[in-house]
Amino acid sequence: MQIAKRSSPAPRGLAGVAAGLTMATALLFGSGVAAQPRPAATPKPGGTLTIGTEADPSSLDPLRIGSYVERQFAIVVYDTLFDVDVQGRIVPSLATGYQVSPDGRKYTLSLREGVKFHDGTPFNAEAVVFNLDRVRDPANTCRCLGNVAAIESVKATGPYKVEIQLKTAYASFPAILTDAPAMMASPTAVRADPKGYGNAPVGTGPFKLVEWTKGSRFIAEKNPHYWKGGQPYLDRVVLRGLQNSETREATMQSGALDVLTQPPPKFAAAVRKDKRFAYIDPTGFGSMFVAFNLQNEALKDVRVRMAIAHATQRELLVKAIYHGLPKVATTPFGYGLPGLSQVKDYPEYNLAKAKALLAEYGKPVSVSILADNQPVALMTIQALQQMWQKAGIKVELKLVDQARLVQNMLSHEFDAALFRWSGRPDPDLNVYGFFHSSTASRKVSSNYGQYASAEMDRLLDAGRQELDPAKRAVIYNDVSRLLARDVPYVFLSYIAAPIIATHKVRGIDPVPDSLVRVASVWKEQ
């Protein structure tokens, strides 16, 4: 379905895509995801779906949404302007399509008519302008600010038409409209309680929030006026944030959960062979890594960061702790973004080289590693501690809950941190906000380590403005090589985020972001 139009010819996509700038060819796309291993059947209405997650969000205001768990909760109540399908392509949602100007700077969105927010507020062009202006206002400190800063203006040109003018061409802009900046919140609800809105989100989504006991249960009931004909099938969705991994496993095994997201690796490896459950394995967009804070006196020296990279046995970590489920990473771009190359000379394990670099640095090195308080994270940083100490680095371990980890990362309160980015369907969204110098000086930003490089800026700016996917691939391969040279992160593995479900659960699509889109899910009764 072609939902984008362009007045001049567009270049050919990376994966042999037909010419013409459709939503898909604006991206590096395709995923080769694993299909759900059950035959199709006629959806049956009714029932409650209970989903277990590894944490409970602190807020569901789109301004504060970024992590996997936050997005999983959010898509129960929100729709975005566009969505992602199982091939990693962008598809219509609240917006039915767009037109883009020949210079790539003006997008005109066509909106779906007849949609209402849960509180009865009409969804229309004014609502879209309200939401996009809100997320791009620096005073609101949206976590997405680096991705929406390129917006120059947003205006309604009709009841269901929105014109977005960009400061420069922005090849990844359609992908941004699938993410948190384009989660449409009710203007009425936001205006009524701007500070408390994140505790009582109101969207147009398939379910509407009826009860949220933080740290316990998030209960949402069917939106009877949902715009997707016949959906949702379920009467109710319950999300449970279970921070303790053993509790998550036991709860799933007991039958109290229908779906478990982000299962611990050991459990996932066992369940993969367990016929009692369905194992759904999307191909991910992102990566797991150790991020360095370059304001740390030792870590600002690239020799120290490179020494740590050489002291890290990444293959051993993946095999011993993650049971070989993910693949060792050399870039920030997961296999859900094909067409990009691995870095052939990524810093390999070489303890002698690590010691030589530290000797050249000539000062004692002491760092702390921050991680969330999950057993697998603790095992990972304990292993890193042992590896780095063999090179002569003194290492302290710090554990916090996931919400605090995210906040510490955003406010740059760490030395080194074990973190993951689930990734997005365009390479720009895996790197720009994290490594462009324009985000380095902000008190709160996703440039966690405050990395700044003029060479990186040139590449990232070029990647955003280049509309030819083949040329973009060259640029992002150069980004990967520069990251391997400067090592603001040590990439450990690509994302492996399987979804485990009972066999009563049907309709989970293996989208590469691993989010369960509950509108299409149903249960055998």
Coordinates of all heavy atoms in Angstrom, one line a residue, residues 84-147:
V84 N 4.4 0.2 13.1 CA 5.4 -0.7 12.4 C 4.8 -2.1 12.3 O 4.2 -2.6 13.2 CB 6.7 -0.8 13.3 CG1 7.8 -1.6 12.6 CG2 7.3 0.6 13.6
D85 N 5.1 -2.7 11.1 CA 4.5 -4.1 11.0 C 5.6 -5.1 11.2 O 6.8 -4.8 11.6 CB 3.9 -4.2 9.6 CG 4.8 -4.2 8.4 OD1 6.1 -4.2 8.6 OD2 4.4 -4.2 7.3
V86 N 5.3 -6.4 10.9 CA 6.3 -7.4 11.2 C 7.5 -7.4 10.3 O 8.5 -8.0 10.7 CB 5.6 -8.8 11.1 CG1 4.5 -9.0 12.2 CG2 5.0 -9.1 9.7
Q87 N 7.4 -6.7 9.2 CA 8.6 -6.6 8.4 C 9.4 -5.3 8.7 O 10.4 -5.0 8.1 CB 8.2 -6.5 6.9 CG 7.9 -7.8 6.3 CD 6.6 -8.3 6.6 OE1 5.6 -7.6 6.7 NE2 6.4 -9.6 6.8
G88 N 9.0 -4.6 9.8 CA 9.7 -3.4 10.2 C 9.3 -2.2 9.3 O 10.0 -1.2 9.4
R89 N 8.3 -2.3 8.5 CA 7.8 -1.2 7.7 C 6.9 -0.3 8.4 O 6.1 -0.8 9.3 CB 7.2 -1.8 6.4 CG 8.1 -2.6 5.6 CD 7.4 -3.3 4.4 NE 6.3 -4.1 4.9 CZ 5.7 -5.0 4.1 NH1 6.0 -5.2 2.9 NH2 4.7 -5.8 4.6
I90 N 6.8 0.9 8.0 CA 5.9 1.9 8.6 C 4.5 1.8 7.9 O 4.5 1.7 6.7 CB 6.4 3.3 8.5 CG1 7.7 3.4 9.4 CG2 5.4 4.3 9.0 CD1 8.3 4.7 9.4
V91 N 3.5 1.7 8.7 CA 2.1 1.5 8.1 C 1.2 2.5 8.8 O 1.5 3.1 9.8 CB 1.6 0.0 8.4 CG1 2.5 -1.0 7.6 CG2 1.7 -0.3 9.9
P92 N 0.0 2.7 8.2 CA -0.9 3.7 8.7 C -1.5 3.3 10.1 O -1.6 2.2 10.5 CB -2.1 3.7 7.7 CG -1.5 3.1 6.5 CD -0.5 2.2 6.9
S93 N -1.8 4.4 10.9 CA -2.5 4.2 12.1 C -3.5 5.3 12.3 O -4.4 5.4 11.5 CB -1.5 4.1 13.3 OG -2.2 3.9 14.5
L94 N -3.2 6.3 13.2 CA -4.1 7.5 13.2 C -4.0 8.4 12.0 O -4.9 9.1 11.7 CB -3.9 8.3 14.5 CG -4.4 7.6 15.8 CD1 -4.0 8.5 17.0 CD2 -5.9 7.3 15.8
A95 N -2.8 8.3 11.4 CA -2.6 9.0 10.1 C -2.7 7.9 9.0 O -2.2 6.8 9.2 CB -1.3 9.6 10.0
T96 N -3.4 8.2 8.0 CA -3.7 7.3 6.9 C -2.6 7.4 5.8 O -2.5 6.5 5.0 CB -5.0 7.5 6.3 OG1 -5.1 8.8 5.8 CG2 -6.2 7.3 7.3
G97 N -1.8 8.4 5.8 CA -0.7 8.5 4.8 C -0.1 9.9 4.9 O -0.5 10.7 5.8
Y98 N 0.9 10.1 4.1 CA 1.5 11.5 4.1 C 2.0 11.8 2.7 O 2.2 10.9 1.8 CB 2.7 11.6 5.1 CG 3.9 10.7 4.8 CD1 4.8 11.2 3.8 CD2 4.2 9.6 5.5 CE1 6.0 10.4 3.5 CE2 5.3 8.8 5.2 CZ 6.2 9.2 4.2 OH 7.3 8.5 3.9
Q99 N 2.2 13.0 2.4 CA 2.9 13.5 1.2 C 4.2 14.3 1.7 O 4.1 14.9 2.7 CB 2.1 14.4 0.4 CG 0.9 13.7 -0.3 CD 0.0 14.7 -1.1 OE1 -0.3 15.8 -0.6 NE2 -0.4 14.2 -2.2
V100 N 5.3 14.1 1.0 CA 6.5 14.8 1.3 C 7.0 15.7 0.1 O 6.9 15.2 -1.0 CB 7.6 13.8 1.8 CG1 7.9 12.8 0.7 CG2 8.9 14.5 2.2
S101 N 7.4 16.9 0.4 CA 7.8 17.8 -0.6 C 9.1 17.3 -1.2 O 9.9 16.5 -0.7 CB 8.1 19.2 0.0 OG 9.1 19.2 1.0
P102 N 9.5 17.8 -2.5 CA 10.7 17.3 -3.2 C 11.9 17.5 -2.4 O 12.9 16.7 -2.5 CB 10.7 18.1 -4.5 CG 9.2 18.4 -4.7 CD 8.6 18.6 -3.4
D103 N 12.0 18.6 -1.6 CA 13.2 18.9 -0.8 C 13.2 18.1 0.5 O 14.2 18.2 1.3 CB 13.4 20.4 -0.5 CG 12.3 21.0 0.3 OD1 11.3 20.2 0.7 OD2 12.3 22.2 0.6
G104 N 12.2 17.3 0.8 CA 12.1 16.5 2.0 C 11.9 17.3 3.3 O 12.0 16.7 4.4
R105 N 11.4 18.5 3.2 CA 11.3 19.4 4.4 C 9.8 19.6 4.8 O 9.6 20.0 6.0 CB 11.9 20.7 4.2 CG 13.4 20.7 4.1 CD 14.0 22.1 4.0 NE 13.5 22.9 5.1 CZ 13.4 24.2 5.0 NH1 13.6 24.9 3.9 NH2 13.0 24.9 6.1
K106 N 8.9 19.2 4.0 CA 7.5 19.4 4.4 C 6.7 18.1 4.3 O 6.7 17.5 3.2 CB 6.9 20.5 3.5 CG 5.4 20.9 4.0 CD 4.9 22.1 3.3 CE 4.7 21.9 1.8 NZ 4.1 23.1 1.2
Y107 N 6.1 17.7 5.4 CA 5.2 16.6 5.4 C 3.8 17.0 5.6 O 3.5 17.8 6.5 CB 5.7 15.6 6.5 CG 6.9 14.8 6.2 CD1 8.2 15.4 6.3 CD2 6.9 13.5 5.8 CE1 9.3 14.7 6.0 CE2 8.0 12.8 5.5 CZ 9.3 13.4 5.6 OH 10.4 12.7 5.4
T108 N 2.9 16.5 4.8 CA 1.5 16.8 4.9 C 0.8 15.5 5.3 O 0.8 14.5 4.5 CB 0.9 17.4 3.7 OG1 1.6 18.6 3.3 CG2 -0.6 17.7 3.9
L109 N 0.2 15.4 6.5 CA -0.4 14.2 7.0 C -1.9 14.2 6.7 O -2.5 15.2 6.9 CB -0.1 14.0 8.5 CG 1.3 14.1 9.0 CD1 1.3 13.8 10.5 CD2 2.2 13.2 8.3
S110 N -2.4 13.1 6.3 CA -3.8 12.9 6.2 C -4.3 12.0 7.4 O -3.7 11.0 7.7 CB -4.2 12.1 4.9 OG -3.8 12.9 3.8
L111 N -5.3 12.5 8.2 CA -5.6 11.9 9.4 C -6.9 11.1 9.3 O -7.8 11.3 8.4 CB -5.8 12.9 10.5 CG -4.7 13.9 10.8 CD1 -5.0 14.9 11.9 CD2 -3.4 13.1 11.1
R112 N -7.0 10.1 10.1 CA -8.2 9.2 10.1 C -9.4 10.0 10.7 O -9.2 10.7 11.8 CB -7.9 8.0 11.0 CG -8.9 6.8 10.8 CD -8.4 5.6 11.5 NE -7.2 5.2 11.0 CZ -7.0 4.4 9.9 NH1 -8.1 4.1 9.2 NH2 -5.8 4.1 9.5
E113 N -10.5 9.9 10.1 CA -11.7 10.6 10.6 C -12.6 9.8 11.5 O -12.6 8.6 11.4 CB -12.5 11.2 9.4 CG -11.7 12.1 8.5 CD -12.6 12.6 7.3 OE1 -13.8 12.7 7.5 OE2 -12.0 13.0 6.3
G114 N -13.3 10.5 12.4 CA -14.3 9.8 13.2 C -13.7 9.1 14.5 O -14.4 8.4 15.1
V115 N -12.5 9.4 14.8 CA -11.8 8.8 16.0 C -12.0 9.8 17.2 O -11.9 11.0 17.0 CB -10.3 8.6 15.7 CG1 -9.7 8.0 17.0 CG2 -10.2 7.7 14.5
K116 N -12.2 9.2 18.3 CA -12.3 10.0 19.6 C -11.4 9.5 20.6 O -11.1 8.3 20.7 CB -13.7 10.0 20.1 CG -14.7 10.8 19.2 CD -16.1 10.9 19.9 CE -17.0 11.8 19.0 NZ -18.3 12.0 19.7
F117 N -10.9 10.4 21.5 CA -10.2 10.0 22.7 C -11.1 9.3 23.7 O -12.3 9.4 23.6 CB -9.5 11.2 23.3 CG -8.3 11.7 22.5 CD1 -8.6 12.8 21.6 CD2 -7.1 11.2 22.6 CE1 -7.5 13.3 20.8 CE2 -6.0 11.7 21.8 CZ -6.2 12.7 20.9
H118 N -10.6 8.6 24.7 CA -11.4 7.9 25.6 C -12.3 8.8 26.4 O -13.4 8.4 26.9 CB -10.5 7.2 26.6 CG -9.6 6.1 26.0 ND1 -8.4 5.8 26.5 CD2 -9.8 5.4 24.8 CE1 -7.8 4.9 25.7 NE2 -8.6 4.6 24.7
D119 N -12.0 10.1 26.5 CA -12.8 11.1 27.2 C -13.8 11.8 26.3 O -14.5 12.7 26.7 CB -12.0 12.1 28.0 CG -11.1 12.9 27.1 OD1 -11.1 12.8 25.8 OD2 -10.2 13.7 27.6
G120 N -13.9 11.4 25.1 CA -14.8 11.9 24.1 C -14.3 13.1 23.3 O -15.0 13.6 22.4
T121 N -13.1 13.5 23.6 CA -12.5 14.6 22.8 C -12.2 14.1 21.4 O -11.7 13.0 21.2 CB -11.1 15.1 23.5 OG1 -11.4 15.5 24.8 CG2 -10.5 16.2 22.7
P122 N -12.6 14.9 20.4 CA -12.4 14.5 19.0 C -10.9 14.4 18.7 O -10.1 15.3 19.1 CB -13.1 15.6 18.2 CG -14.0 16.3 19.1 CD -13.3 16.2 20.4
F123 N -10.5 13.4 17.9 CA -9.2 13.3 17.4 C -9.2 14.0 16.0 O -10.0 13.6 15.1 CB -8.6 11.9 17.2 CG -7.4 11.8 16.4 CD1 -6.2 12.2 16.9 CD2 -7.4 11.4 15.1 CE1 -5.0 12.2 16.2 CE2 -6.3 11.4 14.3 CZ -5.1 11.8 14.8
N124 N -8.4 15.1 15.8 CA -8.4 15.8 14.6 C -7.1 16.5 14.5 O -6.1 16.3 15.2 CB -9.6 16.8 14.6 CG -9.6 17.7 15.8 OD1 -8.6 17.9 16.4 ND2 -10.8 18.2 16.2
A125 N -7.0 17.4 13.5 CA -5.7 18.1 13.2 C -5.3 19.0 14.4 O -4.1 19.0 14.7 CB -5.9 19.0 12.0
E126 N -6.3 19.6 15.1 CA -5.9 20.4 16.2 C -5.3 19.6 17.3 O -4.3 20.0 18.0 CB -7.2 21.1 16.8 CG -7.7 22.2 15.8 CD -8.9 22.9 16.4 OE1 -9.3 22.6 17.6 OE2 -9.4 23.8 15.8
A127 N -5.8 18.4 17.5 CA -5.2 17.5 18.5 C -3.7 17.1 18.2 O -2.9 17.0 19.0 CB -6.0 16.2 18.7
V128 N -3.5 16.9 16.9 CA -2.1 16.5 16.5 C -1.2 17.7 16.7 O -0.1 17.6 17.1 CB -2.1 16.1 15.0 CG1 -0.7 15.9 14.5 CG2 -2.9 14.8 14.8
V129 N -1.6 18.9 16.3 CA -0.8 20.1 16.5 C -0.5 20.3 18.0 O 0.6 20.6 18.3 CB -1.5 21.3 15.9 CG1 -0.8 22.6 16.3 CG2 -1.7 21.2 14.4
F130 N -1.5 20.1 18.8 CA -1.3 20.2 20.3 C -0.2 19.3 20.7 O 0.7 19.7 21.5 CB -2.6 20.0 21.0 CG -2.5 19.9 22.5 CD1 -2.5 21.0 23.3 CD2 -2.3 18.6 23.1 CE1 -2.3 20.9 24.7 CE2 -2.1 18.5 24.5 CZ -2.1 19.7 25.3
N131 N -0.3 18.0 20.4 CA 0.6 17.0 20.8 C 2.0 17.2 20.3 O 3.0 17.2 21.1 CB 0.1 15.6 20.4 CG -0.9 15.0 21.4 OD1 -0.5 14.4 22.4 ND2 -2.2 15.2 21.1
L132 N 2.2 17.5 19.0 CA 3.5 17.7 18.4 C 4.1 19.0 19.0 O 5.4 19.1 19.2 CB 3.4 17.7 16.9 CG 3.1 16.4 16.3 CD1 3.1 16.5 14.8 CD2 4.0 15.3 16.7
D133 N 3.4 20.1 19.2 CA 3.9 21.3 19.8 C 4.3 21.0 21.2 O 5.4 21.6 21.7 CB 2.9 22.4 19.7 CG 2.8 23.1 18.4 OD1 3.7 22.9 17.5 OD2 1.8 23.9 18.1
R134 N 3.6 20.2 21.9 CA 4.0 19.9 23.3 C 5.3 19.2 23.4 O 6.1 19.5 24.2 CB 2.8 19.1 23.9 CG 3.0 18.8 25.4 CD 1.7 18.2 26.0 NE 1.9 17.9 27.4 CZ 2.1 16.7 27.9 NH1 2.1 15.6 27.1 NH2 2.2 16.5 29.2
V135 N 5.5 18.1 22.6 CA 6.7 17.4 22.7 C 7.9 18.1 22.2 O 9.1 17.9 22.7 CB 6.6 16.0 22.0 CG1 5.5 15.1 22.6 CG2 6.4 16.1 20.5
R136 N 7.7 19.1 21.3 CA 8.9 19.8 20.8 C 9.2 21.1 21.5 O 10.2 21.7 21.2 CB 8.7 20.1 19.3 CG 7.7 21.1 18.9 CD 7.4 21.2 17.4 NE 6.6 22.3 17.1 CZ 7.0 23.5 16.7 NH1 8.3 23.8 16.7 NH2 6.2 24.5 16.4
D137 N 8.4 21.4 22.5 CA 8.7 22.6 23.3 C 9.8 22.3 24.3 O 9.6 21.4 25.2 CB 7.4 23.0 24.1 CG 7.6 24.3 24.9 OD1 8.7 24.7 25.1 OD2 6.6 24.7 25.4
P138 N 10.9 22.9 24.2 CA 12.1 22.6 25.1 C 11.7 22.7 26.6 O 12.3 22.0 27.4 CB 13.1 23.6 24.7 CG 12.8 24.0 23.3 CD 11.3 24.0 23.2
A139 N 10.8 23.6 26.9 CA 10.4 23.8 28.3 C 9.8 22.5 28.9 O 9.8 22.3 30.1 CB 9.4 25.0 28.4
N140 N 9.3 21.6 28.1 CA 8.6 20.4 28.5 C 9.6 19.3 28.7 O 9.3 18.2 29.2 CB 7.5 20.0 27.6 CG 6.3 20.9 27.7 OD1 6.0 21.5 28.7 ND2 5.6 21.1 26.6
T141 N 10.9 19.5 28.3 CA 12.0 18.5 28.4 C 11.6 17.1 28.0 O 11.8 16.2 28.8 CB 12.6 18.5 29.8 OG1 11.6 18.2 30.8 CG2 13.1 19.9 30.2
C142 N 11.0 17.0 26.9 CA 10.6 15.6 26.4 C 11.9 14.8 26.2 O 12.9 15.3 25.7 CB 9.8 15.7 25.1 SG 9.3 14.1 24.5
R143 N 11.8 13.5 26.6 CA 13.0 12.7 26.3 C 13.2 12.5 24.8 O 14.3 12.2 24.4 CB 12.7 11.3 26.9 CG 12.9 11.3 28.4 CD 12.3 10.0 29.0 NE 13.0 8.8 28.6 CZ 12.7 7.6 29.1 NH1 11.8 7.5 30.1 NH2 13.4 6.6 28.7
C144 N 12.2 12.9 24.0 CA 12.3 12.8 22.6 C 12.9 14.0 21.9 O 12.9 14.1 20.7 CB 10.9 12.5 22.0 SG 9.8 13.8 22.2
L145 N 13.3 15.0 22.7 CA 13.5 16.4 22.1 C 14.6 16.3 21.0 O 14.4 17.0 20.0 CB 14.0 17.3 23.3 CG 14.0 18.8 22.9 CD1 12.6 19.2 22.5 CD2 14.4 19.6 24.1
G146 N 15.6 15.5 21.1 CA 16.6 15.4 20.1 C 16.0 15.0 18.8 O 16.6 15.3 17.7
N147 N 15.0 14.2 18.8 CA 14.4 13.7 17.6 C 13.3 14.6 17.0 O 13.0 14.5 15.8 CB 13.7 12.3 17.8 CG 14.8 11.2 18.0 OD1 15.9 11.3 17.5 ND2 14.4 10.3 18.9

